[in-house]
């Protein structure tokens, strides 16, 4: 599987955007609804405030990009993965829909499968 996106929690989005854009030198793709997306040579970096207390920690959530989201969810469930939700659309940018399904690893970390349609 290709790694599609990495989320990094930030306290102040505007300050973080300036750092990642101007200090690190990453190309800013777009900002929307308190989210900032950067290009990292084929992998997106998402900067945002934690959505819920569950995500309020210093580690990253890994988003694994797949072509067949439902098929991969089924396969991973059969292999023993615990999903915390069902595949659902999280964003629509232009004509592209982004769908995700979140799961826990064996250490209690939350990660996701993602598919863009």
């Amino acid at each position: 599987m290709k790694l599609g996106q990495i989320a990094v929690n930030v306290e102040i989005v505007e300050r973080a955007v300036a750092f990642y854009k101007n200090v690190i030198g990453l190309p800013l793709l777009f900002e929307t609804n308190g989210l900032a997306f950067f290009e990292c040579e084929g992998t997106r970096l998402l900067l945002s405030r934690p959505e819920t207390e569950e995500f309020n920690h210093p580690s990253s959530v890994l988003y694994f990009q797949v072509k067949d989201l439902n098929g991969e969810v089924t396969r991973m469930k059969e292999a023993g993965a615990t999903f915390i939700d069902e595949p659902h659309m999280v964003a629509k940018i232009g004509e592209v829909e982004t769908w995700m399904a979140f799961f826990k690893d064996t250490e209690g970390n939350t990660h996701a499968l993602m598919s863009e349609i």
Side-chain angles (χ1 to χ4, degrees):
M1 281 185 240
K2 176 186 175 194
L3 189 60
Q5 180 169 288
I6 297 173
V8 175
N9 290 336
V10 299
E11 185 176 42
I12 300 171
V13 175
E14 296 80 13
R15 179 176 64 195
V17 166
F19 178 83
Y20 280 79
K21 181 179 177 185
N22 301 326
V23 176
I24 297 177
L26 295 176
L28 178 64
L29 294 172
F30 60 92
E31 293 182 72
T32 181
N33 300 323
L35 307 173
F37 295 85
F38 290 85
E39 175 59 36
C40 295
E41 298 205 1
T43 301
R44 276 193 310 241
L45 174 65
L46 160 62
L47 303 180
S48 67
R49 294 187 46 77
E51 190 171 278
T52 64
E53 190 58 34
E54 174 185 5
F55 293 107
N56 191 11
H57 53 78
S59 69
S60 298
V61 176
L62 301 180
Y63 295 79
F64 297 95
Q65 194 169 38
V66 298
K67 291 181 188 242
D68 177 9
L69 181 61
N70 292 323
E72 282 298 310
V73 168
T74 299
R75 183 192 66 75
M76 287 180 62
K77 282 182 178 179
E78 290 174 12
T82 302
F83 280 80
I84 59 175
D85 63 11
E86 294 299 317
H88 59 283
M89 186 174 67
V90 297
K92 183 171 183 172
I93 302 167
E95 297 299 312
V96 178
E97 295 178 355
T98 300
W99 286 71
M100 294 186 184
F102 290 84
F103 63 94
K104 295 278 189 179
D105 70 9
T106 57
E107 314 312 305
N109 295 306
T110 301
H111 299 300
L113 297 180
M114 65 179 285
S115 184
E116 293 179 329
I117 303 168

